[in-house]
Amino acid sequence: MQYAAVNVNGRISDAATAVVPVFDHGFLYGEGVYETLRTYNRRPFLLERHFDRLRASAAAIGLTIPLGDREFAERIDATAAAAPVAGECYIRLLVTRGVGDLSYDPEVCGEPTVIIIVKPHAETPAETRARGIGIIVSSVMRNHPAAVDPRIKSNNLLNNALAMQEALRRGAKEALMRNHRGEFSECSQSNFFLVSGGEALTPPLEAGLLEGVTRDFVFKVARSVGVPARYAVLRDADLAHADEMFITSTTREVLPVTVVDGRPVGAGAPGPVTRALADGFRARVNELCREPARSQA
Ligand code: PMP
């Protein structure tokens, strides 16, 4: 069954037949960067922000993206048009070091490999949004920024995968990670917010985390719906005083967290601040993405 359209260096095929050479340093060493996007009304949401972050991630590992934004966007459109997707799309962009040899030397690699994967976006069920999810505080520490900086959205995802494996083993839907100082940084694949005294608080970049596109967008939504939001160093002790919690990401938007390590958060149901931000997020998305993509109109 054709499940996704995959574009490898400009050639589109399906999930079963798309391949990259084993000597690609993306495969050998996780040397590459990526972005995850989704569409609303079949338009990639906040595409420029994702391009900017992709370029920043690439620069941080000494990699140049071999396409301009316009050419990249056209390639995404062509891949989406070929994808077996009736509704909204999940889009993953990957750029790796390219095909080299068994050596860390980037000089031995040719052109970077550019991959675009488009598959159906899996919407979070309304019931999950209404109930909220359970998360764990992971025993896996987030990468030290002086080792592999979490600000780099790299294909080197073992740190995240190990934390999430722990969450899955414990029946949870996400893993909250601490940094080397014991402060919370972020979750395995989302940013973390805690609500206390009516304020939405999230760890600062110095805690060692990915600057989430959704995290930034939520700050704008917070201003428009009148919720105070700020960066704050958060530790284990803060969990006990939290009235609400939520996570943010491109695919999960603003998603309430109602259980941490098996214990209910606040009243054990999504709270008013989280709901205001989740509703405000959707309202803003609807304003920005009212027009369907031209090819779909
Ligand atoms: N942190 C990590 C580690 C992630 O993988 C993601 C998902 N891309 C996020 C945060 C959320 O980022 P965004 O809002 O840009 O999707």
Coordinates of all heavy atoms in Angstrom, one line a residue, residues 34 53 142 153 160 186-191 210 212-214 248-250, ligand 1:
Y34 N 16.6 18.1 10.5 CA 15.3 17.8 10.0 C 14.3 18.8 10.6 O 14.6 19.6 11.5 CB 14.9 16.4 10.3 CG 14.4 16.2 11.8 CD1 13.0 16.1 12.0 CD2 15.3 16.0 12.8 CE1 12.6 15.9 13.3 CE2 14.9 15.8 14.1 CZ 13.5 15.8 14.4 OH 13.1 15.6 15.6
R53 N 14.7 27.6 10.9 CA 15.3 26.7 12.0 C 16.2 25.6 11.3 O 17.2 25.2 11.8 CB 14.2 26.1 12.9 CG 14.8 25.4 14.1 CD 13.8 25.0 15.1 NE 12.8 24.0 14.5 CZ 11.7 23.6 15.2 NH1 11.5 24.0 16.4 NH2 10.9 22.7 14.6
R142 N 18.5 15.1 29.3 CA 18.6 15.7 28.0 C 20.1 16.0 27.7 O 20.8 16.4 28.6 CB 17.8 17.1 28.0 CG 17.6 17.7 26.6 CD 16.7 16.9 25.8 NE 16.4 17.5 24.4 CZ 16.9 17.0 23.3 NH1 17.7 15.9 23.3 NH2 16.6 17.5 22.2
K153 N 18.2 20.8 15.7 CA 17.2 19.7 15.4 C 17.9 18.7 14.5 O 17.7 18.8 13.3 CB 15.9 20.3 14.8 CG 14.7 19.4 14.9 CD 13.5 20.2 14.7 CE 12.2 19.3 14.6 NZ 12.0 18.4 15.7
N160 N 16.5 11.4 22.6 CA 15.0 11.5 22.6 C 14.4 10.1 22.6 O 13.4 9.9 23.4 CB 14.5 12.3 21.4 CG 15.3 13.6 21.2 OD1 16.6 13.5 21.1 ND2 14.7 14.7 21.1
E186 N 12.9 19.9 28.4 CA 11.8 19.8 27.4 C 11.4 18.3 27.4 O 12.0 17.5 28.1 CB 12.2 20.2 26.0 CG 13.3 19.4 25.5 CD 13.7 19.8 24.1 OE1 12.9 20.4 23.3 OE2 14.9 19.6 23.7
C187 N 10.4 18.0 26.6 CA 10.0 16.6 26.5 C 10.7 15.9 25.3 O 11.4 16.6 24.5 CB 8.5 16.4 26.3 SG 7.6 17.1 27.8
S188 N 10.5 14.6 25.1 CA 11.3 13.9 24.0 C 11.0 14.5 22.6 O 11.8 14.4 21.8 CB 11.0 12.4 24.1 OG 9.8 12.1 23.5
Q189 N 9.7 15.0 22.5 CA 9.4 15.5 21.1 C 8.4 16.7 21.2 O 7.6 16.9 20.3 CB 8.8 14.4 20.3 CG 7.8 13.5 21.0 CD 7.7 12.1 20.5 OE1 7.5 11.9 19.3 NE2 7.8 11.2 21.4
S190 N 8.5 17.4 22.3 CA 7.6 18.6 22.5 C 8.2 19.5 23.6 O 9.1 19.0 24.3 CB 6.2 18.1 22.9 OG 6.3 17.3 24.1
N191 N 7.7 20.7 23.6 CA 8.1 21.6 24.7 C 7.1 21.5 25.9 O 6.0 21.1 25.7 CB 8.2 23.0 24.2 CG 9.4 23.3 23.3 OD1 9.2 23.5 22.1 ND2 10.6 23.1 23.8
L210 N 15.0 22.6 22.4 CA 14.7 23.1 21.1 C 13.8 24.3 21.2 O 12.8 24.2 21.9 CB 14.1 21.9 20.3 CG 13.8 22.3 18.8 CD1 15.0 22.3 18.0 CD2 12.7 21.4 18.2
G212 N 11.0 25.6 20.1 CA 9.9 25.1 19.4 C 9.1 26.2 18.6 O 8.9 27.3 19.2
V213 N 8.8 25.9 17.4 CA 8.0 26.9 16.6 C 6.6 27.1 17.3 O 6.1 28.2 17.4 CB 7.8 26.3 15.2 CG1 6.8 27.1 14.4 CG2 9.1 26.3 14.5
T214 N 6.1 26.0 17.8 CA 4.8 26.1 18.5 C 4.9 26.8 19.9 O 4.0 27.6 20.2 CB 4.2 24.6 18.8 OG1 4.4 23.8 17.6 CG2 2.7 24.7 19.1
T248 N 3.6 21.4 23.9 CA 3.4 22.0 22.6 C 4.3 21.3 21.6 O 5.5 21.0 21.8 CB 3.7 23.5 22.6 OG1 5.1 23.7 22.9 CG2 2.9 24.2 23.7
S249 N 3.7 21.1 20.4 CA 4.5 20.7 19.2 C 3.7 20.9 18.0 O 2.5 21.1 18.1 CB 5.0 19.3 19.3 OG 3.9 18.4 18.9
T250 N 4.3 20.9 16.9 CA 3.7 21.1 15.6 C 2.5 20.1 15.4 O 1.5 20.5 15.0 CB 4.7 20.9 14.5 OG1 5.7 21.9 14.6 CG2 4.1 20.9 13.1
Ligands
PMP1 N1 11.4 19.6 21.4 C1 11.8 18.5 20.7 C2 12.9 17.7 21.2 C3 11.1 18.2 19.6 O1 11.4 17.1 18.8 C4 10.0 19.0 19.1 C5 9.2 18.6 17.9 N2 9.7 19.1 16.7 C6 9.6 20.1 19.9 C7 10.4 20.4 21.0 C8 8.5 21.0 19.5 O2 8.9 21.8 18.4 P1 7.9 22.4 17.3 O3 6.9 23.2 18.1 O4 8.7 23.3 16.5 O5 7.3 21.2 16.6

